[in-house]
Amino acid sequence: MRFPVALAASVGVAILAAWAWLGWPVNMPPTPYFAPDDKLPCVSYAPFRPGQSPFIEGLVIPPEQIDDDFARLSKITACVRTYSTEMGLSVAPELARKHGLTLLQGIWIGREPDKNRIEIEAGIKLAQQNPDVVKGVIVGNEVLLRGELTAADLGRVIRDVRARAGVPVTYADVWEFWVRNRELAADVDFVTVHILPFWEDLPVSADDAVAHIDSIRAHVGEAFPGRDILIGETGWPSAGRMREGAEPSPANQAQVIQQLLSLAKQRSYRLNVIEAFDQPWKRALEGTVGGHWGFLDAYSRDFKFAWAQPVSNHPLWPVQALLGLAVAGATFAAAAWGARRAGQPAPEPLQWLPVAGIALAAGIAYGWAVAAVWVESLGPWGWLRGLVLLALGLAAPLVAAAALGARAPRPVLATALQPARWSEAPGVEIALAVVLALTVVLATQIGFGLVFDPRYKDFQFAALTPIIAALAIQAAVAAPAGAGERHAERIAAAVFAASGVYIALNETLANWQALWTGTLMVLFALTLWRTSAARG
């Protein structure tokens, strides 16, 4: 009895050490040109809170909500960039004045001329009536990128606004589209470019992001010599999937923003950071990462990090570690229960090692998965999938450990898919087969998404780890099941092996999330191939 207790204690220490390492605050690099009491030059602002969206027909944001947001923003910035005049934003200049803010007034331009006309007239009116607050009008945001107007048509709109607004006028788009349409510079008072290292065609890592922004800003300056240039959007996300080596995280967001502000001060760059508050509605368009570009939390409305202070990527790590310890302890208990239930002798010392492996994987990953499900789940299907993954992440280690204790054979899909067999098979074998079948379904959906439509799909490595690790370890130790043809397992194994290799290579070896997910897929393929073997 001493050995399993000592082994369980060792696993517990390893789990605590892993979580302490994951949660250890990351020191921010020195930013010699930025002081902690400096304010942001300007920030992008959208007024939508959780449950609100620009796609809700007839939604009008209450002035009190915008007033509260501007009161918070006035403590950290002197300028706010808006994107339209609709949905209650016509009060933005008045409230900006109240809180000592200036405004870059946005005019939203799209495909529909009638809507454009209404928006243009409203934007011009706000600029004319509030010249003390509205320091510039931005006519259109990434219209060329979206392909909604030609450069010639857009130029005519900009010239019309410029002739009547009474304040400087510009157009905002990704820097490449400005370089491709240089003739637009003649229609604006200053050039507004978006430089977003995370979304570049060749994504840039957080460590190289600010140097990349500096390089692109210099390139744009060469393309438009003598012109005033505003970096209209730049920043870094705090959560979501990696793109190659570009990783969203709280620490990376804090690092990039602080280094960026230091660079802007050193180079005297005009700068607007995207964005003020997280916008959960953007997750429907850009996945998890789209809703986490704000440096103020969507729910608490508080700052996500303190200037110049260390930042943890897992601030709740003690709770996650305790949850992992509970799962690991339950895994050891399940193995002992499985042995007693099946009338088997207690596992020998070496037979506890696979149980320890299952407990360790689950103990480290399960708390991670619980935190991720609140961030990654969107809509009824997303929440259903996330909660089922959490349920499997808890069930798989316990059932696999119980199966090891009971000396059960490897699971086969037929046991789960043919209820007629349930009266013949022990309960632990049925439960393990059901876990296997559900994992095949969910892993197929996740894997195919990352193969055929990966841009906005999350790598759900944390949720898959305790499930696939438990199944793989049990299958590696247990005896084969009885005779029978198992073509389904072999077909699924081939699909997962191909998916795993593709996911890892498609995202490049710089993407550790993709490597982890791809490795899990290949491991699951080997597990299924192993379960397809029959007892002779």
Side-chain angles (χ1 to χ4, degrees):
M1 194 63 185
R2 291 180 180 176
F3 182 79
V5 171
L7 188 59
S10 300
V11 168
V13 170
I15 292 170
L16 286 173
W19 271 110
W21 176 73
L22 288 169
W24 196 261
V26 179
N27 290 322
M28 292 296 102
T31 50
Y33 298 95
F34 173 73
D37 58 348
D38 283 350
K39 286 189 174 183
L40 294 157
C42 198
V43 297
S44 290
Y45 172 72
F48 308 104
R49 295 192 178 184
Q52 298 174 338
S53 162
F55 305 120
I56 299 176
E57 193 70 29
L59 174 66
V60 177
I61 304 299
E64 297 79 13
Q65 181 173 311
I66 300 174
D67 185 44
D68 178 68
D69 287 344
F70 279 13
R72 295 173 186 271
L73 291 177
S74 66
K75 299 175 183 178
I76 58 172
T77 187
C79 166
V80 171
R81 175 188 172 183
T82 62
Y83 288 78
S84 76
T85 66
E86 297 181 308
M87 308 186 88
L89 276 169
S90 60
V91 303
E94 174 189 344
L95 295 175
R97 180 183 297 110
K98 174 183 175 182
H99 294 288
L101 297 168
T102 59
L103 210 63
L104 291 175
Q105 175 65 56
I107 294 179
W108 189 263
I109 301 296
R111 297 181 186 278
E112 302 178 46
D114 292 340
K115 288 187 175 181
N116 289 348
R117 194 173 301 111
I118 294 171
E119 180 76 3
I120 288 167
E121 295 304 320
I124 291 174
K125 183 178 179 180
L126 290 176
Q128 292 173 339
Q129 293 178 345
N130 301 277
D132 60 319
V133 173
V134 178
K135 298 305 181 181
V137 173
I138 301 178
V139 184
N141 182 72
E142 299 183 351
V143 178
L144 298 178
L145 172 65
R146 296 193 302 274
E148 293 179 340
L149 288 180
T150 65
D153 290 339
L154 179 61
R156 283 191 287 272
V157 173
I158 296 171
R159 289 193 296 272
D160 174 50
V161 176
R162 190 181 182 193
R164 297 191 284 149
V167 299
V169 171
T170 185
Y171 164 68
D173 211 326
V174 176
W175 66 271
E176 293 101 327
F177 283 83
W178 263 109
V179 173
R180 294 173 196 170
N181 299 276
R182 301 187 188 195
E183 67 277 9
L184 281 176
D187 299 324
V188 300
D189 294 296
F190 59 96
V191 175
T192 300
V193 294
H194 295 172
I195 308 174
L196 298 163
F198 181 85
W199 284 127
E200 294 282 17
D201 292 337
L202 297 175
V204 179
S205 71
D207 288 339
D208 299 325
V210 174
H212 174 79
I213 293 167
D214 190 28
S215 172
I216 297 301
R217 172 59 178 79
H219 175 66
V220 173
E222 293 171 359
F224 302 99
R227 299 305 304 270
D228 187 16
I229 296 170
L230 167 68
I231 302 177
E233 282 186 2
T234 191
W236 198 263
S238 62
R241 57 107 73 208
M242 291 179 69
R243 294 188 70 234
E244 298 186 9
E247 180 184 358
S249 74
N252 282 346
Q253 182 185 59
Q255 171 189 319
V256 170
I257 289 178
Q258 291 179 77
Q259 288 182 329
L260 178 61
L261 295 176
S262 181
L263 172 73
K265 202 170 183 180
Q266 176 192 7
R267 301 270 203 247
S268 298
Y269 288 161
R270 292 185 64 193
L271 183 70
N272 175 77
V273 181
I274 186 168
E275 59 192 323
F277 298 95
D278 280 343
Q279 294 293 302
W281 64 271
K282 289 185 179 180
R283 295 166 60 196
L285 302 177
E286 301 174 357
T288 298
V289 71
H292 292 87
W293 282 79
F295 44 86
L296 290 153
D297 183 78
Y299 297 89
S300 70
R301 317 306 281 178
D302 290 332
F303 213 69
K304 291 181 181 176
F305 56 87
W307 297 119
Q309 298 299 313
V311 178
S312 173
N313 288 324
H314 299 274
L316 297 178
W317 73 265
V319 177
Q320 293 170 289
L322 289 175
L323 181 58
L325 290 175
V327 173
T331 301
F332 276 91
W337 177 86
R340 290 196 303 271
R341 180 81 174 178
Q344 297 284 354
E348 297 294 327
L350 290 180
Q351 293 173 326
W352 282 105
L353 294 179
V355 177
I358 294 172
L360 180 62
I364 293 174
Y366 194 72
W368 202 333
V370 170
V373 74
W374 302 107
V375 176
E376 297 174 351
S377 299
L378 180 66
W381 164 245
W383 275 103
L384 176 62
R385 182 182 64 182
L387 293 175
V388 171
L389 281 170
L390 282 185
L392 281 177
L394 184 58
L398 303 184
V399 172
L404 287 173
R407 278 61 160 186
R410 300 166 193 158
V412 293
L413 292 173
T415 301
L417 302 179
Q418 297 177 12
R421 294 189 176 198
W422 292 4
S423 60
E424 304 171 3
V428 70
E429 293 183 26
I430 297 171
L432 194 59
V434 169
V435 168
L436 178 68
L438 289 173
T439 305
V440 168
V441 173
L442 288 171
T444 298
Q445 193 269 341
I446 293 170
F448 278 16
L450 292 171
V451 169
F452 295 107
D453 186 24
R455 183 174 175 86
Y456 302 123
K457 298 292 190 305
D458 291 310
F459 299 103
Q460 294 178 301
F461 56 90
L464 289 174
T465 294
I467 306 169
I468 292 177
L471 292 170
I473 292 173
Q474 193 275 339
V477 174
E485 295 295 332
R486 301 196 178 104
H487 300 302
E489 282 87 344
R490 293 176 182 176
I491 293 171
V495 168
F496 288 125
S499 298
V501 172
Y502 178 84
I503 289 167
L505 296 180
N506 182 55
E507 294 287 340
T508 77
L509 300 181
N511 189 329
W512 65 263
Q513 294 180 355
L515 287 175
W516 190 335
T517 306
T519 300
L520 287 172
M521 292 289 177
V522 172
L523 179 61
F524 194 36
L526 294 174
T527 301
L528 287 165
W529 189 265
R530 192 169 183 82
T531 61
S532 70
R535 183 183 289 118

